[in-house]
């Protein structure tokens, strides 16, 4: 079975900056290459693991807390690096991506490729709308994710051929 490119926007648009992941996915809906699965997740580990198959290339978009933080700063992390950071809370969710990826590895449920693109957030109260630093960083994050999706399609085509 051929792998897919799966892009997952993790977050909650009703918790201000936590809506950055879903905002990126929505912005890419009109321009993602054919065959890209664009989807949203609340970050719950069981549901996240159900979004991909072992042969897929997965691009995750998330907002993170960093200490010390620099709201709007962009990060690109591998699954291994994200799982390594699991001991340090960095996500806005009860289980962060690191814990989810560590669980996937333990269950032998990791996809063939897994990359995380994240932006540092600052405002997570109830409400809609991104803080100014995250909103200003959004075009760059969208560009990074679009490039990651294109690159993943190229690697999957090369693996098949």
């Amino acid at each position: 079975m051929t792998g897919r490119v799966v892009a997952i926007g993790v977050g909650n648009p009703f918790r201000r900056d936590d809506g950055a992941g879903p905002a990126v996915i929505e912005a890419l809906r009109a321009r993602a290459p054919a065959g890209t699965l664009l989807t949203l997740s609340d970050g719950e580990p069981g549901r996240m693991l159900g979004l991909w198959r072992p042969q897929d290339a997965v691009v995750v978009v998330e907002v993170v807390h960093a200490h010390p933080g620099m709201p709007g700063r962009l990060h690109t992390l591998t699954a291994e690096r994200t799982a390594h950071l699991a001991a340090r809370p960095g996500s806005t969710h009860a289980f962060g991506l690191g814990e989810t990826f560590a669980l996937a590895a333990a269950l032998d449920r990791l996809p063939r490729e897994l990359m995380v693109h994240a932006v540092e957030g600052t405002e997570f109260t109830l409400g809609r709308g991104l803080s100014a630093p995250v909103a200003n960083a959004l075009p760059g994050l969208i560009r990074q994710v679009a490039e990651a999706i294109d690159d993943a399609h190229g690697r999957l085509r090369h693996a098949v051929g």
Side-chain angles (χ1 to χ4, degrees), residues 31-65:
R31 63 190 246 204
T36 305
L37 174 60
L38 298 171
T39 188
L40 304 176
S41 174
D42 61 4
E44 193 279 324
R47 287 189 289 271
M48 285 279 294
L49 271 58
L51 295 175
W52 63 70
R53 303 181 306 218
Q55 62 272 25
D56 291 342
V58 177
V59 179
V60 177
V61 191
E62 167 74 294
V63 66
V64 295
H65 294 282

Side-chain angles (χ1 to χ4, degrees), residues 2-111:
T2 305
R4 306 168 298 170
V5 175
V6 181
I8 305 169
V10 179
N12 180 346
F14 297 102
R15 289 190 56 221
R16 305 284 316 254
D17 287 346
D18 198 37
V24 169
I25 296 302
E26 293 309 316
L28 292 173
R29 289 213 186 270
R31 63 190 246 204
T36 305
L37 174 60
L38 298 171
T39 188
L40 304 176
S41 174
D42 61 4
E44 193 279 324
R47 287 189 289 271
M48 285 279 294
L49 271 58
L51 295 175
W52 63 70
R53 303 181 306 218
Q55 62 272 25
D56 291 342
V58 177
V59 179
V60 177
V61 191
E62 167 74 294
V63 66
V64 295
H65 294 282
H67 304 283
M70 191 168 105
R73 180 171 41 184
L74 300 178
H75 298 270
T76 300
L77 301 168
T78 62
E80 294 80 17
R81 179 73 178 133
T82 305
H84 176 72
L85 296 173
R88 299 182 346 193
S91 174
T92 63
H93 313 288
F95 276 101
L97 288 178
E99 291 89 355
T100 299
F101 299 158
L103 176 63
L107 297 174
D108 198 25
R109 291 275 302 126
L110 281 172

Side-chain angles (χ1 to χ4, degrees), residues 11-20 22-23 63 92 122-131 134:
N12 180 346
F14 297 102
R15 289 190 56 221
R16 305 284 316 254
D17 287 346
D18 198 37
V63 66
T92 63
T122 185
E123 181 58 54
F124 299 97
T125 58
L126 292 176
R128 290 186 63 87
L130 303 173
S131 67
V134 173

